[in-house]
Amino acid sequence: MKLYIITGASRGLGRSIKELLQNKYTVVDISRSSKDFPCDLTLTETIPETLNKVFSQYKIHSYKQVTLINNAGKIKPVALLGNLSTKEIQDNISVNLTAPIVVTNEFLKHTNSYKGKIKIINLTSGAAKSPMPSWPAYSAAKAGLENLSNCILQEQGLRCEVFCINPGLIDTDMQKHIRDMNEKDFPDIERFINFKEQGLLVPPIEVAQRVLKEAKESL
Ligand SMILES: NC(=O)c1ccc[n+]([C@@H]2O[C@H](COP(=O)([O-])OP(=O)(O)OC[C@H]3O[C@@H](n4cnc5c(N)ncnc54)[C@H](OP(=O)(O)O)[C@@H]3O)[C@@H](O)[C@H]2O)c1
């Protein structure tokens, strides 16, 4: 049996990953609207308690593999620098970068004496390497997440497999939020409207299959 802890599995890509895995394995969701472990990842100080609850409910020594998937993400605020609210910047960095660091820290703490296989899968974005104007917090956070992945790899070595995967364009609420912006805040909006109209947004279930394959997960 394998245990998967995934952030942001209430909808979008995370939900599809959960749907695929839960036919065969134990999967728990950490998100605001989760029925498993509800948690607002902008409230950083509540994250350790949530992980305590996960690890006290699921005894990891009965699993042959324990995997953390840092998937929860937030695109907003979408606007050019000079027009952002401080609270929105804080929330964005909290969900996209601080939460993965804190969740990973707690995950490694709880799996310290675990003898089975451990794996961490981080969901990044093309914006990490090609920063997108109007997405400054998201782009910076995803670049940080990629560096976090390298750090985990260097610290943990062979003890933990680490994957940092760019899922590409997905037909989820996140893309809808982008299309709902206005041209003043997001000058590139037309391109994103065209992605949808031209059928370039991939259904989340297909992306979930690819992500799991890239992370060497068999279904
Ligand atoms: N969509 C794309 O085209 C695209 C492209 C590249 C990369 N990505 C990345 O892929 C991942 C999944 O994206 P998606 O498109 O599936 O996003 P989505 O449809 O917007 O879903 C986001 C998920 O994150 C959770 N979340 C958001 N804010 C949260 C908070 N404050 N606390 C706890 N959970 C929170 C949401 O759950 P609740 O609302 O229940 O809290 C939801 O389950 C993200 O890391 C994203 O950056 C997406």
Side-chain angles (χ1 to χ4, degrees):
M1 198 42 153
K2 298 184 190 178
L3 172 67
Y4 294 82
I5 301 163
I6 173 161
T7 64
S10 60
R11 53 195 162 86
L13 176 62
R15 183 165 72 190
S16 292
I17 292 175
K18 188 179 187 205
E19 279 167 5
L20 290 174
L21 290 170
Q22 71 188 2
N23 294 327
K24 213 166 156 187
Y25 307 117
T26 305
V27 189
V28 300
D29 169 32
I30 298 175
S31 63
R32 286 168 301 187
S33 41
S34 173
K35 291 189 175 69
D36 306 328
F37 295 94
C39 176
D40 183 344
L41 295 172
T42 62
L43 306 175
T44 310
E45 64 286 356
T46 69
I47 296 175
E49 185 49 32
T50 303
L51 270 290
N52 284 347
K53 285 182 191 157
V54 174
F55 283 95
S56 63
Q57 190 166 325
Y58 295 93
K59 301 296 170 208
I60 54 172
H61 296 284
S62 55
Y63 293 92
K64 67 169 187 181
Q65 181 184 317
V66 183
T67 300
L68 166 66
I69 307 179
N70 283 307
N71 163 79
K74 180 181 168 69
I75 190 82
K76 286 180 180 175
V78 176
L80 298 166
L81 286 161
N83 301 280
L84 304 168
S85 97
T86 304
K87 172 81 172 96
E88 280 193 311
I89 296 170
Q90 272 177 336
D91 285 354
N92 184 298
I93 300 294
S94 296
V95 175
N96 294 316
L97 181 58
T98 313
I101 300 174
V102 175
V103 173
T104 299
N105 183 49
E106 295 303 313
F107 176 81
L108 291 173
K109 219 182 265 179
H110 285 282
T111 52
N112 191 31
S113 63
Y114 174 65
K115 297 278 181 270
K117 184 171 178 176
I118 58 173
K119 204 183 245 198
I120 298 178
I121 304 169
N122 291 332
L123 271 302
T124 183
S125 156
K129 293 202 171 65
S130 309
M132 180 66 74
S134 299
W135 306 0
Y138 182 81
S139 301
K142 289 295 188 183
L145 182 71
E146 294 200 351
N147 235 347
L148 169 70
S149 308
N150 291 330
C151 259
I152 305 167
L153 203 59
Q154 289 192 22
E155 286 187 12
Q156 299 294 316
L158 295 177
R159 198 180 97 80
C160 176
E161 269 195 274
V162 185
F163 297 86
C164 188
I165 298 173
N166 173 7
L169 297 169
I170 326 167
D171 199 359
T172 61
D173 289 352
M174 186 174 281
Q175 286 289 335
K176 186 170 181 319
H177 291 320
I178 296 168
R179 291 193 303 276
D180 285 346
M181 298 311 300
N182 59 60
E183 208 172 336
K184 180 181 146 287
D185 284 331
F186 186 36
D188 213 11
I189 190 166
E190 201 58 31
R191 199 155 63 92
F192 282 78
I193 292 170
N194 288 340
F195 287 154
K196 175 71 174 171
E197 286 175 357
Q198 292 165 4
L200 295 175
L201 300 183
V202 184
I205 197 76
E206 283 179 31
V207 180
Q209 271 157 342
R210 181 170 56 75
V211 164
L212 291 172
K213 196 170 169 203
E214 272 187 47
K216 297 185 196 148
E217 286 298 317
S218 57
L219 293 171

